[in-house]
Amino acid sequence: MRHDDQLPAPRLAERLRSAREETFVGRRAELESFREALAASAGSWAVLYAHGAGGIGKSALLRRFADQARAAGRPVYEIDGHTVDPDPAAFESEAAGALTDERPVLLVDGFDRCQGLEAWLRERFLPRLPGDALVVVASRRPPDPEWTSDPGWAGVLRVTALGRLEPRDATALLCVLGVGPALHESVLGYADGHPLALCLAAEVALRDRAWAAPSHDLIAALLSRLVGELPSAVHRHALEVCAHARTTTEDLLRAALPGEDTGSLFAWLRAQPYVGTGRHGVFPHEVVRDALDADLRWRDPRGYESMHRRMRVHLLERARAASGRALLPAVEAVKYLHRSGNVTPAFFTFSGDGEVSEDIFRPEDRPDLLALAARAEGEESAALVDFWLDRRPQDFRVHRRSDSGRPAAFMAWLRLTAPDEAELAADPVVAAVWKHCRGAGPLRGGEHLAVARFMVDPAAYQRPSAVMDLMLHRIVAEFLHQERLAWTYVTWTRATFWEPLMTYSDHHPVADPPVAGGSPRALYAHDWRVMPLADWLDFTGAEELFGPPAGSGAEERPAPFEVLSRPGFDAAVRDALRMWRRPDALAANPLIRGRLIAHSDPTDPAGPAETLREVLTDAVDALRDDPHRAVLHRVVAVTYFHGTPTQEAAAAQLGMAFSTYRRRLGRALEHISDRLWVLETG
């Protein structure tokens, strides 16, 4: 029981607040501005937009603002962009009290994680707040120019860019953290006034009582001090997986760390102070992520590669199984693994924040799409968009703004099965596609080709951007989900810029590029029958980690498959049956270079000829398994497998009239070719 004269122990929250106050330095102008706004009844700013790099101290500043507001008796509502869905309804649900309370203070941290809501916040939500409300928005990105160009916001909005701490404040922070004066110069030189880097460097400096240039050893030491004493090597591996992936879920940990207790590991990750939680899983803070990934990549290249490949297999399986709105995020998770390669970083920004999202085409979108096409490519291109919207509206993908729902950009993925005279006459790109297809490898029964057409974003036309990320992720998604896809074609107006990405993805330039919409269009093509998806994934995967090996070239590519027309395939099947008893001759058959035996064991001493013999035998034996075709099996077996010298001798051995024998042999060969054709093209 407490005596009346005994003071109560401070609550933990008070101790935390006291510790944060002691270690908070600088930002005097921002704090004074906030105090004045709290005290002012009118005439001050109502919205403060603070932006700066990750780890620059935005969250710490907002915590100080919250303390000041509560001390002034104001109700405080705090929203974290890392945990709220980037959806107007979800955001409003979190901030509902600010709409009705008196003199509310709304603090929005991590707004860059839901920056796509910016226009909605500005135009629809904030104007509904009470007139005496104060709002602070913290983001890594500066505000949209629409804020400052609108006269209505001129008197109520203040924008401040949070930068590095001034030298005296950075020195004060080191003093508070306990770093002695002898180490100030070296630590300050490394951290350059960045608050998070100062704190991390101070940890190492205090432990080692020294500081030098941040070598890989020091990065490892820095990480060791940052994450503390890890419970085990498995926990370290879990943290490395978390750093390598865009976001980490328990099932990704299960794939990357087979046999481990991934439930406990995920719970441990989630509890770490340097790991955040988002919609798609957990993630480390960026400074920590980069340091962890760079350290493992340098320290253990083989372990890094092994981890990467296990993660890639899992994420590819997830992307191939995904559909609907889950598809593009699943593809992005795969592409994020490429971010350290020699090609991908130049073309993918990984900067999507919900401002624009992909959707299907709706009839009411047509005027907007035509206007976007005219703005980006001219009226001739807009007329082509109009033409294809009449014919294949289901092939268009619209990229909508989250604030208004209106189209901001669009693309088309045209799926074509046969040339059409009207399409050939209307669209020079499609005409060039079919001309190339006819000459390089015509479509076979059931196959189709696809054309990435009209990648239109006037705001960043054919340049890397968040919208272009969506377009490229859609193209990769179509690659992964292909069925009977023979050719893909991609067209660009900025060919020089995009050519390295086309080379990386094994899309080769087509001769005589077309002119469409008044501009020349570079056209690139890939034959999926020559390099199927599995080989393509292996080929592109070689670049992901450390870039293509020195001197790599055409000799590094997988051996191409031979693409046979149906008549050529049938002739090869008949010839293979005739040579069934001669493995040396069978080895020269075109079927050897087709997909029928694509996955035969290259270490098998019998070689591909023996594999082809087995495939033929299985197809012939399938006739025997059907009671209605058993007689056809006998005809083929006697003719090709028993060494019968002539067809006349085979007919006599079977006791058939020669005309009956020939008719049944023809039917049998037709059934065998049909069965093998399905295997070849399926």
Side-chain angles (χ1 to χ4, degrees):
M1 179 178 295
R2 180 175 61 87
H3 295 292
D4 291 341
D5 59 346
Q6 187 175 15
L7 294 176
R11 293 181 179 274
L12 180 58
E14 295 170 354
R15 294 175 60 188
L16 291 173
R17 184 166 56 251
S18 175
R20 287 167 177 164
E21 187 172 350
E22 288 177 4
T23 56
F24 187 91
V25 299
R27 312 302 185 201
R28 283 172 288 276
E30 290 80 9
L31 292 173
E32 182 59 30
S33 175
F34 189 72
R35 288 192 199 97
E36 292 175 355
L38 285 173
S41 58
S44 178
W45 57 262
V47 177
L48 173 64
Y49 192 111
H51 63 92
I56 206 66
K58 299 183 295 295
S59 297
L61 181 60
L62 261 63
R63 283 195 293 266
R64 292 285 288 161
F65 286 168
D67 291 343
Q68 288 185 351
R70 291 189 179 101
R74 303 282 288 263
V76 177
Y77 298 90
E78 299 177 83
I79 294 179
D80 188 343
H82 290 90
T83 58
V84 67
D85 285 337
D87 176 80
F91 188 100
E92 186 164 327
S93 175
E94 293 283 330
L99 293 170
T100 57
D101 219 333
E102 295 182 2
R103 305 174 69 227
V105 174
L106 176 62
L107 305 176
V108 184
D109 196 10
F111 189 61
D112 46 279
R113 301 298 296 182
C114 53
Q115 196 90 26
L117 301 178
E118 186 172 1
W120 170 84
L121 185 78
R122 181 182 64 247
E123 302 295 339
R124 301 189 183 186
F125 180 79
L126 294 181
R128 295 161 54 201
L129 290 173
D132 54 4
L134 287 181
V135 180
V136 181
V137 178
S139 175
R140 293 188 180 189
R141 293 167 54 177
D144 187 279
E146 291 292 330
W147 291 90
T148 52
S149 64
D150 184 345
W153 284 103
V156 294
L157 173 71
R158 176 168 297 182
V159 177
T160 183
L162 294 182
R164 298 170 296 181
L165 294 174
E166 294 182 6
R168 61 171 178 166
D169 294 326
T171 302
L173 178 58
L174 291 182
C175 291
V176 170
L177 294 173
V179 178
L183 299 179
H184 283 184
E185 183 177 356
S186 56
V187 174
L188 290 171
Y190 162 70
D192 196 28
H194 190 286
L196 180 58
L198 282 165
C199 292
L200 300 180
E203 289 274 357
V204 174
L206 289 170
R207 183 201 65 187
D208 295 345
R209 300 189 179 185
W211 182 260
S215 66
H216 284 291
D217 289 340
L218 284 174
I219 290 174
L222 179 64
L223 288 172
S224 176
R225 293 298 299 167
L226 171 67
V227 302
E229 189 70 28
L230 297 178
S232 71
V234 174
H235 287 79
R236 185 185 72 243
H237 296 326
L239 190 56
E240 291 163 349
V241 170
C242 188
H244 193 51
R246 184 65 180 265
T247 56
T248 298
T249 57
E250 191 172 327
D251 62 334
L252 177 58
L253 280 179
R254 192 177 301 116
L257 304 172
E260 302 296 344
D261 182 0
T262 50
S264 297
L265 290 171
F266 185 80
W268 174 81
L269 279 175
R270 197 174 184 178
Q272 301 313 299
Y274 43 81
V275 174
T277 302
R279 300 183 305 279
H280 302 296
V282 298
F283 55 91
H285 297 166
E286 289 302 316
V287 173
V288 179
R289 178 200 295 281
D290 293 342
L292 281 166
D293 206 53
D295 179 65
L296 178 61
R297 183 184 176 95
W298 166 82
R299 175 171 49 82
D300 184 9
R302 288 188 178 181
Y304 185 83
E305 181 175 1
S306 178
M307 175 192 71
H308 167 90
R309 294 194 183 282
R310 288 193 300 272
M311 294 170 64
R312 183 173 183 264
V313 167
H314 170 79
L315 293 174
L316 278 170
E317 290 176 351
R318 193 176 74 179
R320 297 189 71 178
S323 61
R325 293 190 177 277
L327 178 55
L328 293 195
V331 172
E332 182 185 28
V334 177
K335 291 300 298 179
Y336 192 75
L337 300 180
H338 299 220
R339 68 190 184 279
S340 297
N342 286 357
V343 176
T344 298
F347 302 100
F348 289 81
T349 69
F350 301 108
S351 62
D353 55 19
E355 181 179 9
V356 176
S357 59
E358 187 197 75
D359 192 15
I360 61 172
F361 168 77
R362 306 179 192 280
E364 59 269 25
D365 295 330
R366 182 186 288 257
D368 286 326
L369 266 58
L370 298 182
L372 291 169
R375 178 180 163 194
E377 297 183 344
E379 294 296 338
E380 186 178 336
S381 179
L384 285 172
V385 172
D386 198 36
F387 173 84
W388 284 110
L389 284 173
D390 284 337
R391 289 186 163 248
R392 304 201 61 81
Q394 71 276 13
D395 288 352
F396 280 75
R397 297 285 172 169
V398 177
H399 303 93
R400 302 186 189 279
R401 294 184 59 88
S402 65
D403 58 334
S404 65
R406 293 191 61 181
F410 70 94
M411 70 170 294
W413 181 257
L414 302 177
R415 299 170 179 85
L416 306 176
T417 57
D420 178 277
E421 290 301 325
E423 294 170 359
L424 295 175
D427 193 339
V429 170
V430 170
V433 162
W434 281 115
K435 178 182 177 181
H436 175 267
C437 178
R438 285 193 298 268
L443 300 187
R444 305 176 298 189
E447 293 179 339
H448 72 282
L449 59 81
V451 187
R453 193 74 172 91
F454 306 120
M455 289 184 279
V456 173
D457 176 15
Y461 181 65
Q462 296 210 354
R463 300 196 307 272
S465 66
V467 172
M468 182 57 76
D469 283 358
L470 291 174
M471 294 179 180
L472 295 176
H473 291 154
R474 167 54 57 184
I475 292 173
V476 174
E478 297 294 343
F479 292 170
L480 296 178
H481 285 250
Q482 60 178 272
E483 290 186 17
R484 304 302 305 277
L485 178 62
W487 288 97
T488 51
Y489 294 85
V490 183
T491 178
W492 300 101
T493 55
R494 301 180 66 207
T496 302
F497 178 80
W498 291 101
E499 187 166 359
L501 182 64
M502 294 294 94
T503 301
Y504 160 73
S505 63
D506 197 59
H507 280 68
H508 305 282
V510 171
D512 301 322
V515 175
S519 302
R521 303 277 177 155
L523 190 61
Y524 296 86
H526 177 83
D527 189 341
W528 294 96
R529 303 161 303 183
V530 172
M531 184 188 286
L533 180 62
D535 289 339
W536 182 84
L537 289 171
D538 288 342
F539 175 73
T540 55
E543 186 273 343
E544 291 175 16
L545 291 174
F546 307 107
S552 65
E555 69 278 3
E556 303 293 334
R557 298 172 179 267
F561 291 135
E562 182 156 338
V563 181
L564 297 171
S565 65
R566 181 60 195 263
F569 182 84
D570 292 344
V573 169
R574 291 192 296 270
D575 184 65
L577 286 168
R578 284 194 294 269
M579 299 301 167
W580 187 85
R581 296 171 59 84
R582 294 181 52 195
D584 57 332
L586 202 59
N589 189 281
L591 297 178
I592 291 289
R593 298 182 297 280
R595 299 179 70 176
L596 274 175
I597 60 168
H599 302 295
S600 60
D601 185 356
T603 65
D604 187 346
E610 182 58 34
T611 301
L612 180 55
R613 279 167 55 93
E614 294 174 1
V615 169
L616 293 169
T617 301
D618 290 343
V620 172
D621 287 347
L623 296 173
R624 181 182 56 197
D625 297 336
D626 185 341
H628 300 291
R629 296 172 181 166
V631 66
L632 303 183
H633 172 268
R634 292 178 54 232
V635 170
V636 175
V638 169
T639 303
Y640 298 117
F641 295 169
H642 295 176
T644 309
T646 64
Q647 290 190 354
E648 289 80 358
Q653 184 174 335
L654 291 165
M656 296 179 185
F658 189 65
S659 60
T660 301
Y661 162 81
R662 290 296 300 271
R663 185 172 63 255
R664 290 177 174 172
L665 179 62
R667 286 173 54 201
L669 292 175
E670 181 179 340
H671 285 301
I672 292 169
S673 284
D674 285 347
R675 180 181 180 85
L676 295 178
W677 180 252
V678 170
L679 297 176
E680 175 73 10
T681 61

